Amino acid sequence: MRDNQTHNQRIVDQFTRWARPFADLPIHSEEAGMARTLAAAAIGPDSHVLDVACGPGIVACAAAEQAGHVTGIDITPAMIAEARRRQAALGLANIDWHVGDAAALPFADAAFDVVVTRYSFHHLQQPAAALAEMRRVCRPGGRIVVIDATPSPETQIAYDRMELLRDPSHTSALTLDQLRALGRDAGLEEVLIDGYRLEALLATLADEQDMAALTAMFEGDIASGEDRIGVAAWAAADGIRFRFPLSIVAWESPA
Ligand SMILES: C[S@@+](CC[C@H](N)C(=O)[O-])C[C@H]1O[C@@H](n2cnc3c(N)ncnc32)[C@H](O)[C@@H]1O
């Protein structure tokens, strides 16, 4: 396993460069996936919500429209700067932001009603440690929601290889069964499984220097007709397109 400090530095480097493009990419605010995410979180008007690894605050700001208060935390300061920019643009007063690590949340036990994290577990070396922290800061009977890419067991290795070609801070995307097992191991009670496919244009998701290797991998699938990466890639008029396989798992924190 790569040293944790080195890995966290890799995260900060990657997401400092990608903070603005990530914040501005329309697919990250896609409405259907966001609606499913918010439904899974079951936020009430008095809920105190925590968004872990919140990035540019897309989920946090959407949650703030429904919640009493939202806290966002991310390890990359440039992402928190983007989150503040989004908050100001939307005129939301009920959010505060922190720079910090998902593996050591700087919050009291049982401080939140709802704890969510989207698209982060595949960047973590120890997602179980983050989930344990999410459980700790969630009140008994509160809700914990993880949204992430979940390749099938058959495509997991190829999916991880593809992600690593565009993002050196990728660790591994869990299968849905692996993600559900993390929840069971953390002592959480599963209350909802949902998912959605998110269509993306490959060229918008990678640095120029990574495109040749990535394109070759996708073209291999398209030419063979085999979906080895598990993202149903196709050649569209504007370039290679594919669909991220995303799952939503919600648990209740035990009383
Ligand atoms: C793909 S982005 C997702 C951002 C946001 N959750 C969203 O869905 O729009 C992943 C985020 O995880 C953050 N991250 C990665 N490892 C982290 C850690 N150990 N603690 C806190 N944030 C972390 C990164 O800085 C980045 O902002």
Side-chain angles (χ1 to χ4, degrees), residues 36-44 113-114 116 143 145 250:
R36 303 190 94 91
T37 294
L38 294 176
I43 297 164
D113 304 297
V114 179
V116 303
R143 202 164 263 223
V145 185

Side-chain angles (χ1 to χ4, degrees), residues 94-107:
N94 58 338
I95 316 182
D96 65 86
W97 308 104
H98 297 254
V99 174
D101 189 348
L105 295 172
F107 307 114

Side-chain angles (χ1 to χ4, degrees), residues 110-196:
F112 300 95
D113 304 297
V114 179
V115 183
V116 303
T117 189
R118 188 182 76 161
Y119 308 161
S120 68
F121 269 27
H122 66 272
H123 293 289
L124 304 181
Q125 289 191 309
Q126 293 182 297
L131 193 58
E133 275 293 86
M134 292 171 72
R135 178 187 167 169
R136 180 184 66 76
V137 302
C138 187
R139 70 163 168 80
R143 202 164 263 223
I144 296 173
V145 185
V146 175
I147 307 102
D148 207 1
T150 52
S152 67
E154 298 75 29
T155 60
Q156 188 179 31
I157 290 172
Y159 184 89
D160 282 342
R161 196 178 325 127
M162 178 278 285
E163 282 286 18
L164 273 165
L165 283 176
R166 73 182 187 95
D167 179 359
S169 73
H170 179 87
T171 54
S172 179
L174 302 172
T175 66
L176 179 57
D177 281 349
Q178 289 170 337
L179 182 54
R180 295 176 73 185
L182 274 192
R184 276 195 303 277
D185 293 349
L188 299 172
E189 188 190 326
E190 192 177 288
V191 290
L192 178 144
I193 303 280
D194 196 5
Y196 56 99

